[in-house]
Amino acid sequence: DIQMTQSPSSLSASVGDRVTITCRTSQSISTYLNWYQQKPGTAPKLLIYAASSLQSGVPSRFSGSGSGTDFTLTISSLQPEDFATYSCQQSYNMPYTFGQGTKLEIK
Amino acid sequence: QVQLVQSGAEVEKPGASVKVSCKASGNTFSDYYIHWLRQTPGQGLEWMGRINPNSGETKYAPNFQGRVTLTRDTPISTAYMELSSLRSDDTAVYYCARDPGVLAFDPWGQGTLVTVSS
């Protein structure tokens, strides 16, 4: 299985900050990397697919980049509704696997 | 906009089986894969398998092979996940999700809490 390592595991930031979350994979996955946002008690929501494509309806302050084994999710200017847990997921091969999540908290 | 609505919470004893349903709205049920995943505090998000609603072809994660069965009833736009030989560490929120053709999961069902306890 492809191992996914996210960093940091938690992060404190303020409204208006620029935030970057990193995901590293145990083998090259080209750009088969997706990012999800999850708020307590709700299902994950797709933000970015194929490493850098913004899902329809997702604000443009979210962006993704990377290829191979190193990927980043960037939020350009944090809004109050962005405080949540973010997870990466590879769709290069099955079984599909997820990172352990990054919890973004208000400073 | 497709929505996935799952069946309600279940409580099962160790060794039993559980079957969770996932009903899709709209007319495109057969067009895209339906995936099943689960989330636990300890293991995070785990992918369990997928089904092609059109053909019924399935693919399972090795960790669940032999214990999970995915089926569908196309006329009623519903997919099912059955997990057998339940253990306490199968206690989790189980989700269905659709792949809209981009090798990702969107949308997701609301989740079904399955509790395994004697």
Side-chain angles (χ1 to χ4, degrees), chain A residues 37 45-48 53-63:
Chain A
Q37 176 194 66
K45 172 189 172 184
L46 178 65
L47 299 176
I48 302 284
S53 295
L54 193 68
Q55 175 67 347
S56 175
V58 175
S60 59
R61 62 181 180 273
F62 291 93
S63 64

Side-chain angles (χ1 to χ4, degrees), chain B residues 29-34 36 49-60 68-74 78-80:
Chain B
F29 177 73
S30 295
D31 293 350
Y32 302 102
Y33 287 110
I34 295 287
W36 288 87
R50 74 169 190 202
I51 184 166
N52 179 329
N54 189 41
S55 67
E57 172 258 347
T58 55
K59 181 77 173 179
Y60 299 120
V68 68
T69 304
L70 303 184
T71 55
R72 92 291 188 212
D73 187 339
T74 304
T78 301
Y80 302 91

Side-chain angles (χ1 to χ4, degrees), chain B residues 1-42:
Chain B
Q1 182 78 355
V2 171
Q3 282 191 308
L4 302 176
V5 178
Q6 298 181 221
S7 50
E10 304 270 10
V11 179
E12 302 292 347
K13 294 190 183 306
S17 297
V18 68
K19 191 170 186 177
V20 179
S21 68
C22 171
K23 182 173 176 61
S25 62
N27 299 322
T28 60
F29 177 73
S30 295
D31 293 350
Y32 302 102
Y33 287 110
I34 295 287
H35 296 256
W36 288 87
L37 308 97
R38 76 179 188 182
Q39 187 168 33
T40 63

Side-chain angles (χ1 to χ4, degrees), chain A:
Chain A
D1 298 2
I2 296 175
Q3 306 305 310
M4 314 286 289
T5 304
Q6 276 183 245
S7 60
S9 56
S10 63
L11 175 60
S12 294
S14 301
V15 172
D17 284 354
R18 179 183 180 89
V19 166
T20 297
I21 298 169
T22 297
C23 181
R24 178 164 288 174
T25 59
S26 60
Q27 67 181 75
S28 177
I29 62 167
S30 183
T31 58
Y32 291 91
L33 192 285
N34 308 312
W35 289 98
Y36 299 86
Q37 176 194 66
Q38 187 174 23
K39 297 181 180 179
T42 68
K45 172 189 172 184
L46 178 65
L47 299 176
I48 302 284
Y49 63 93
S52 60
S53 295
L54 193 68
Q55 175 67 347
S56 175
V58 175
S60 59
R61 62 181 180 273
F62 291 93
S63 64
S65 65
S67 67
T69 61
D70 293 293
F71 302 86
T72 58
L73 172 70
T74 299
I75 310 172
S76 60
S77 178
L78 275 173
Q79 299 302 300
E81 61 268 29
D82 299 339
F83 292 95
T85 297
Y86 294 85
S87 299
C88 57
Q89 173 252 327
Q90 65 83 15
S91 56
Y92 181 74
N93 61 21
M94 291 180 273
Y96 300 134
T97 47
F98 289 80
Q100 79 279 15
T102 295
K103 187 173 184 179
L104 180 53
E105 298 174 307
I106 301 173
K107 184 183 287 183

